[in-house]
Amino acid sequence: MVSNHSRIVDRALTRLKLRQLRLLVKVGEHGNIQHAARDLGISQPAATKMIQDLEIDFEVQLFERTNRGVVPTVFGEALIRHGKLIFAQVSNAAQELDDLNEGNSGRVVVGTLLAASPTLLPRAIKRLLHTRPNVAIKIVEGTNEALMPALRSGEIDMIVGRLPSHRHRSRIEQETFFDERVMAVAGTQHPLATATNVSFEQLKPFGWILPPIETTLRRQTDQFFIKQGQYLPTTVIESVSYLANRSLLRSHDLVGLLPAHVAALDIEAGLLSAIDWDVPFGGRPVGVSYRGGSSLSPAGSAFLEALREEAATI
């Protein structure tokens, strides 16, 4: 007896066409069949029939009509999500063939968070280039909230940095490399730059540079502030730009929160000062997130191994 899963797989392999998936993705983007059809250069009746054919083949309703257009059902959302992943893999395959044709030994797209940028990532890239000098590497910087959807859709191969909270772990594998603590930093001109045993009371009069609201570190910071008598900083600058943050710290009496080894290089160079305050929150593991070993190209697998080897030395 043929299972329902086997029947669906057989229908997907024999009846599903890439143009149908493209249409589904476009309808999901626009929430409107007419606009999606226009983007693809087909008529609205043809687009509607393509969707109806899919619904008949898979015996599910893919979209619900509203007075503003159409909204994907749970079945539509699932098929759209997998469609995006398929197109990302096709794009990656084309890019890899192009790289190989130009003499490059593969391609890796890496998402990075601040915690990995100054030390782990450059070391791993150096190790990879030693064994694969012609590999093409693309680095995309951002927060987990921005990078995780790109990882799940196949636009990037892996994310290196502070590991995200559990809400991001569905269909994602994670490896922890080391634990990172957070430290408070300021410009060398700051009144507390040379003070010892700094208390939070001494920090209260100053403005803060904080990560975006959607990050784990920001949520931890806000929770700590609430516990300190509903403390509200006089000034809050929200930024993930390390270069901008460093410049602001050096030109204003602000307090910043940074992963310890990220700040270490600038502290050693005399560009920033460590504030002698033991930050009671923010410590999290640093590692790599990826969709699984089978999703990685040979170059991606080689880079993952380079990360592991370099992390062991930190």
Side-chain angles (χ1 to χ4, degrees):
M1 185 175 182
V2 179
S3 69
N4 189 51
H5 173 264
S6 298
R7 188 171 69 254
I8 291 174
V9 170
D10 180 66
R11 289 177 179 177
L13 292 175
T14 57
R15 304 185 192 184
L16 186 61
K17 300 178 178 64
L18 287 180
R19 60 187 299 222
Q20 291 175 311
L21 281 180
R22 287 183 65 198
L23 175 62
L24 286 183
V25 171
K26 285 293 183 182
V27 174
E29 290 175 359
H30 290 289
N32 185 288
I33 295 176
Q34 183 179 1
H35 293 167
R38 185 180 60 219
D39 275 7
L40 297 179
I42 60 178
S43 67
Q44 180 176 349
T48 300
K49 186 176 186 306
M50 287 168 65
I51 293 173
Q52 290 172 343
D53 288 345
L54 277 176
E55 291 178 327
I56 292 171
D57 286 340
F58 291 102
E59 300 176 5
V60 295
Q61 183 179 351
L62 297 175
F63 295 96
E64 292 180 350
R65 292 188 178 276
T66 71
N67 56 1
R68 295 185 177 181
V70 293
V71 177
T73 64
V74 290
F75 305 106
E77 288 177 349
L79 203 51
I80 288 170
R81 184 177 70 251
H82 287 290
K84 288 180 178 179
L85 187 58
I86 289 170
F87 288 124
Q89 292 299 329
V90 170
S91 176
N92 291 343
Q95 183 66 62
E96 189 168 339
L97 291 175
D98 189 43
D99 291 335
L100 292 170
N101 189 47
E102 294 180 1
N104 298 327
S105 56
R107 177 181 178 85
V108 187
V109 183
V110 184
T112 180
L113 292 89
L114 185 58
S117 298
T119 306
L120 177 59
L121 197 59
R123 289 186 184 182
I125 289 173
K126 181 179 179 181
R127 181 180 288 268
L128 178 67
L129 291 177
H130 179 72
T131 57
R132 291 174 174 258
N134 295 320
V135 71
I137 303 171
K138 179 180 179 180
I139 299 174
V140 182
E141 190 175 36
T143 64
N144 270 317
E145 297 293 336
L147 295 174
M148 273 294 167
L151 175 63
R152 284 195 290 266
S153 68
E155 296 172 59
I156 59 178
D157 298 311
M158 63 189 76
I159 301 172
V160 185
R162 286 162 64 91
L163 294 178
S165 54
H166 61 85
R167 67 185 181 283
H168 288 300
R169 292 177 186 168
S170 176
R171 302 183 303 278
I172 299 296
E173 292 190 26
Q174 296 180 342
E175 292 183 27
T176 298
F177 292 148
F178 52 84
D179 289 325
E180 178 67 282
R181 69 181 181 88
V182 170
M183 65 187 301
V185 297
T188 55
Q189 83 293 338
H190 195 284
L192 298 179
T194 58
T196 57
N197 297 319
V198 174
S199 67
F200 184 68
E201 288 296 321
Q202 291 173 275
L203 293 171
K204 282 185 175 181
F206 301 99
W208 292 71
I209 300 177
L210 299 175
I213 292 175
E214 66 268 16
T215 63
T216 300
L217 179 56
R218 177 60 180 276
R219 286 190 289 271
Q220 292 173 335
T221 305
D222 288 346
Q223 288 167 5
F224 174 78
F225 285 171
I226 290 171
K227 293 177 181 177
Q228 306 306 309
Q230 302 286 331
Y231 167 69
L232 290 174
T234 56
T235 302
V236 172
I237 297 174
E238 190 175 290
S239 169
V240 294
S241 170
Y242 184 69
L243 291 178
N245 293 353
R246 183 173 64 184
S247 178
L248 286 167
L249 289 169
R250 285 169 56 79
S251 58
H252 298 76
D253 290 341
L254 299 167
V255 178
L257 296 172
L258 290 175
H261 82 267
V262 173
L265 296 176
D266 280 340
I267 293 172
E268 184 179 344
L271 299 175
L272 296 177
S273 294
I275 293 181
D276 188 18
W277 176 57
D278 188 14
V279 181
F281 57 87
R284 284 192 63 82
V286 171
V288 61
S289 302
Y290 56 101
R291 293 189 309 281
S294 60
S295 72
L296 295 175
S297 65
S301 297
F303 187 65
L304 178 58
E305 188 57 34
L307 283 168
R308 291 167 176 158
E309 293 172 354
E310 286 301 327
T313 69
I314 296 178

